[in-house]
Amino acid sequence: MTLSALRFGAFISPFHPLGRSPTLAMARDLDLVRHLDDLGFDDVWIGEHYSGGWSIISAPEMFLAAAASQTKRIGLGTGVVSLPYHHPFQVASRIAQLDHLSRGRAILGLGAGVSKADAQMLGIDPETRWRRMDEGIDAVKRLLSGEEPVSVSTDWFSLDRAELQLLPLQANIEIAVASNYSENSMRLAGRHGLSLLALGGFLPGGPKVDLEQRWRIAKESAAQHSTNVSRDGLSIVLPVHLAETRDQAFQDVRTGAESWLFDYFHDTLGAPVRQSTPPGREVEELVDQGGAIIGTPEDCITAIKTLYNQSGGFGRFLTVVLDWTTQAKQWESFNLMAEEVVPHFSPSSLDSLRRGQLRAAPGTNS
């Protein structure tokens, strides 16, 4: 695994400020997925939420099925399906169908569910979610493999010689576990040999986390259960906004980012935002603490390289899509990333163009 093989995508939770049309917000999300496909990004991930007001998609597979019909090559991931809320047979069946609709582009992201309000409405004890994740992952993996009928009996689901009548188009569909760098998610990824979506880096007011130490937990769990985890399957998930100048980038997002910090993280989730941070400096503090990348393409290149070296390496970088600014400026940020950031992490074409320039320069021996 090297920086030259780094993949790039987007993570659309989605976050949409209250007071805006949810119908148009979902349409804009779909427009963005088409744009990302045109720009050549590797994959896009869509979340599942039932409360909180800001995140309005409750069935990511339905959204991704619509996206599949309007895109050509981009990978389509659930980011994530809250597995403890669903029967594993239905989770496996739906991702298999999406894989066929997308011609082999589906990715299954799974999470334990982070919202207590969601769990409460469904009558689920939040304390059971990690056990449910473990049991559910095992069933989903066995069902997707199609190797034999699956019989399981737990206190929240049962399977009686169950088989998917439609297996995925891909022989080995990627399965990823969402992690806020918790030890539980790292252990589950290791136990089942799955990919990881590292979501916790952008949580305002959250503690600093040693990702290298957390990765060791995943590796130790994998060794204990005779599975394997690879840093190629580790995705780092962070908000990014780029502009031609650093001042312009901050100006673009300041109002929207402050709304997200206070109206969503503080008022909705109860997370601490303003502690010792001077008023008006919250966005700068978020960037300084590594919770977002805001600046120029050069700033983004430097930040990703630093994060890669500090973390020990990862295989995918996902930009969290947030309504911090206008659609035009959001799209321009992704344009700058595609044109000026991504090529620096797949440099072969850039290197050959530089060699071509040198070869043609006056006085150069051919």
Side-chain angles (χ1 to χ4, degrees), residues 3-313:
L3 268 170
S4 63
L6 192 62
R7 292 160 288 161
F8 285 84
F11 189 92
I12 304 177
S13 185
F15 288 109
H16 297 301
L18 301 179
R20 299 183 185 179
S21 166
T23 305
L24 296 179
M26 280 190 276
R28 286 195 301 273
D29 289 335
L30 193 55
D31 288 342
L32 178 59
V33 174
R34 288 197 300 268
H35 187 56
L36 295 172
D37 186 48
D38 290 340
L39 290 175
F41 281 90
D42 293 293
D43 38 58
V44 63
W45 302 67
I46 305 294
E48 171 194 278
H49 298 88
Y50 300 93
S51 61
W54 283 61
S55 299
I56 57 176
I57 292 176
S58 59
E61 302 97 332
M62 291 180 66
F63 182 95
L64 292 170
S69 69
Q70 300 179 37
T71 55
K72 298 177 181 177
R73 56 167 301 279
I74 194 166
L76 303 170
T78 59
V80 293
V81 169
S82 297
L83 184 54
Y85 303 165
H86 303 278
H87 195 293
F89 188 87
Q90 294 170 318
V91 172
S93 297
R94 288 168 182 164
I95 202 67
Q97 180 170 319
L98 178 63
D99 203 37
H100 285 268
L101 290 171
S102 64
R103 300 299 178 96
R105 291 185 281 146
I107 310 168
L108 179 58
L110 298 171
V114 296
S115 171
K116 291 184 178 180
D118 290 355
Q120 180 184 12
M121 288 191 294
L122 294 168
I124 295 171
D125 180 358
E127 297 301 317
T128 67
R129 62 195 183 105
W130 289 110
R131 174 178 60 80
R132 289 187 176 212
M133 269 286 284
D134 188 18
E135 294 168 345
I137 289 171
D138 181 68
V140 167
K141 285 182 60 181
R142 292 169 62 191
L143 287 165
L144 290 175
S145 74
E147 293 177 357
E148 60 184 3
V150 180
S151 295
V152 178
S153 180
T154 74
D155 63 349
W156 65 286
F157 79 90
S158 296
L159 293 168
D160 183 6
R161 293 187 54 79
E163 296 179 88
L164 298 184
Q165 71 170 4
L166 179 68
L167 291 171
L169 185 60
Q170 299 175 79
N172 294 292
I173 194 167
E174 181 180 0
I175 304 176
V177 175
S179 168
N180 59 358
Y181 301 150
S182 73
E183 294 188 9
N184 284 328
S185 53
M186 293 293 182
R187 289 195 185 96
L188 277 180
R191 175 184 178 88
H192 295 282
L194 305 180
S195 299
L196 267 163
L197 294 168
L199 303 169
F202 71 95
L203 297 181
K208 279 287 189 180
V209 175
D210 184 347
L211 183 55
E212 178 64 25
Q213 188 271 336
R214 287 289 193 267
W215 184 253
R216 285 197 292 271
I217 294 172
K219 292 287 288 185
E220 290 169 1
S221 178
Q224 291 171 4
H225 296 93
S226 301
T227 63
N228 182 57
V229 288
S230 166
R231 286 189 178 273
D232 283 337
L234 174 61
S235 299
I236 300 296
V237 187
L238 277 179
V240 177
H241 181 75
L242 306 180
E244 295 292 348
T245 68
R246 191 174 303 166
D247 287 345
Q248 183 63 55
F250 275 93
Q251 182 180 328
D252 287 348
V253 303
R254 186 173 302 281
T255 299
E258 288 179 351
S259 173
W260 177 73
L261 285 167
F262 289 104
D263 296 344
Y264 180 69
F265 271 97
H266 184 270
D267 294 349
T268 304
L269 300 185
V273 175
R274 182 179 289 156
Q275 295 172 323
S276 60
T277 305
R281 289 280 305 171
E282 289 86 4
V283 182
E284 283 82 0
E285 179 71 9
L286 182 65
V287 173
D288 291 344
Q289 294 299 315
I293 300 171
I294 300 173
T296 65
E298 292 76 16
D299 293 331
C300 188
I301 292 167
T302 299
I304 291 174
K305 288 180 177 178
T306 299
L307 184 59
Y308 187 93
N309 292 328
Q310 289 178 345
S311 67

